[in-house]
Amino acid sequence: VAGALAEQALEDHMCRAGFSEVERLEISTLDVERLRYYPLFTMEFLDWMEAVLDRDGAPPIYRVHLRGHKPAVE
Amino acid sequence: MTKADFDVQRVVRETYGSVVPHDSSVAQSLYSDEDLHYLPMDVRMLALGLGNPLQYADLQPGERVLDLGAGGGIDTLLAARRVGSQGEAIGLDMTESMIDHATRSAQTMGVANVRFVAGRMEDIPLPDASFDVVISNGVINLSDEKQKVFNEAYRVLKPGGRLVFADSVVNGKLPDEILSSEAAWAG
C-alpha cells in the first residue's frame, strides 16, 4: 500500500501515456481488516500498520477500478 | 508517494516469491461462483489481487489479453476462458516461482490459449500493438516507476485497445513510517 498514488495521479499518468476516455468504474474503502486475507503480511505487521494509520489520522486507502483506451487513430 | 530508499522490486520479488497461501478467501471475495468452480484450488489460493478487472474488461472471443503482474495466474486463466480458443491470454510476472505455479496450473487445466512470460511491467518484453486488452489487478501500486508501466501498457496495446485495472489509491500522504517500510511496499 505504500506505493499507492492518489486517484488523480494515477489518471494523470494514464493521460500522459496517451490513454483517452479514462474513467473510474468503482471505488471502495480498503481497510486493514481486508488486508488480513492476504498471505503477504504478518499479523504483527498489520497490527503495527493499523496502529500507525490510526495514530497519525492517515487518509483512507481505497480500492479503485480504472479503464482507459488507446485511441483508434493516434 | 515518495521514492523508497530501497530496491522496491527486490522487496516485491522476495515477498511474492515466498508466499505461502493458506486459504482462498481473497478469491472468494472477488470472483463469481462460476469462475471459482472453473479454477483449481491452488489457483484460487494464490489469488492476491485487489479487485476484478475482468468484470469491466468486456472481453470478446478472439481477443488477445495481457495481464500485468499475473502472479498465480487467476485473472490470466479466466481471461483465456473468456476469449476462447481463437484468442490468447498472456500473463507477465517478474517472480519465477509465480510463473512456474501459473504455468503448471494451465497445463493441469489443459488450457492451450494461455502462457506466462517472465518480465517487468516497466519494460514489457513483448511487441508493440499486439494486444486488444491489458489488465492488471493490484500490481501497479507495487512499482516505483508507474509512468513507465502506463507507457508500456500503451505501447503494447493495439489502437483502440483498452487498459482495465484494479489498484489501491490514497488521496493524501501516508505516514513516513509506512512509506519507509519494506513490508508496506510489498503488498
Side-chain angles (χ1 to χ4, degrees):
Chain A
V1 296
L5 293 181
E7 184 185 347
Q8 187 60 55
L10 270 185
E11 293 182 15
D12 290 347
H13 276 309
M14 293 174 73
C15 291
R16 277 197 293 274
F19 286 99
S20 63
E21 303 172 62
V22 173
E23 55 187 326
R24 181 218 289 173
L25 304 161
E26 177 189 335
I27 189 163
S28 57
T29 306
L30 180 64
D31 56 30
V32 173
E33 285 311 305
R34 176 165 176 78
L35 295 179
R36 294 185 192 279
Y37 291 174
Y38 294 79
L40 298 165
F41 311 102
T42 66
M43 289 301 123
E44 292 76 14
F45 168 76
L46 290 171
D47 289 343
W48 170 81
M49 187 165 78
E50 189 168 35
V52 171
L53 292 171
D54 286 348
R55 185 196 67 206
D56 289 11
I61 300 166
Y62 294 99
R63 178 188 77 162
V64 69
H65 286 74
L66 294 171
R67 179 168 58 205
H69 291 79
K70 181 171 182 171
V73 179
E74 290 186 85
Chain B
M1 188 193 81
T2 57
K3 187 91 172 172
D5 60 1
F6 47 83
D7 182 347
V8 171
Q9 290 195 6
R10 171 189 60 78
V11 172
V12 171
R13 189 180 285 116
E14 288 175 358
T15 302
Y16 283 77
S18 60
V19 162
V20 179
H22 50 77
D23 63 32
S24 61
S25 53
V26 173
Q28 287 173 328
S29 72
L30 298 175
Y31 299 92
S32 69
D33 287 344
E34 183 188 352
D35 283 343
L36 292 170
H37 285 132
Y38 171 69
L39 298 162
M41 179 55 86
D42 59 337
V43 174
R44 284 181 268 159
M45 288 177 66
L46 272 174
L48 300 171
L50 280 176
N52 187 348
L54 294 176
Q55 271 186 309
Y56 302 105
D58 191 26
L59 297 184
Q60 299 297 315
E63 288 192 315
R64 296 192 80 230
V65 182
L66 174 64
D67 181 9
L68 301 181
I74 188 167
D75 292 309
T76 323
L77 290 161
L78 291 172
R81 186 184 194 204
R82 284 162 170 71
V83 299
S85 58
Q86 300 303 307
E88 184 181 29
I90 295 179
L92 178 78
D93 206 279
M94 68 174 181
T95 307
E96 283 183 22
S97 61
M98 288 292 181
I99 294 281
D100 292 343
H101 277 298
T103 300
R104 277 199 303 273
S105 295
Q107 290 168 347
T108 302
M109 295 169 70
V111 181
N113 64 333
V114 69
R115 62 189 166 102
F116 294 91
V117 173
R120 300 168 58 240
M121 59 186 170
E122 298 87 352
D123 186 17
I124 299 172
L126 295 165
D128 295 358
S130 50
F131 292 93
D132 300 288
V133 184
V134 174
I135 60 171
S136 186
N137 193 353
V139 176
I140 294 173
N141 73 91
L142 302 174
S143 174
D144 61 349
E145 298 178 297
K146 293 179 178 60
Q147 189 62 58
K148 285 187 180 178
V149 177
F150 289 112
N151 293 346
E152 282 290 89
Y154 188 88
R155 178 183 66 77
V156 300
L157 276 171
K158 299 174 186 176
R162 54 207 186 273
L163 167 67
V164 187
F165 67 98
D167 212 350
S168 54
V169 295
V170 56
N171 294 317
K173 186 177 180 295
L174 291 170
D176 288 339
E177 284 174 85
I178 303 288
L179 294 174
S180 59
S181 161
E182 291 194 4
W185 273 89

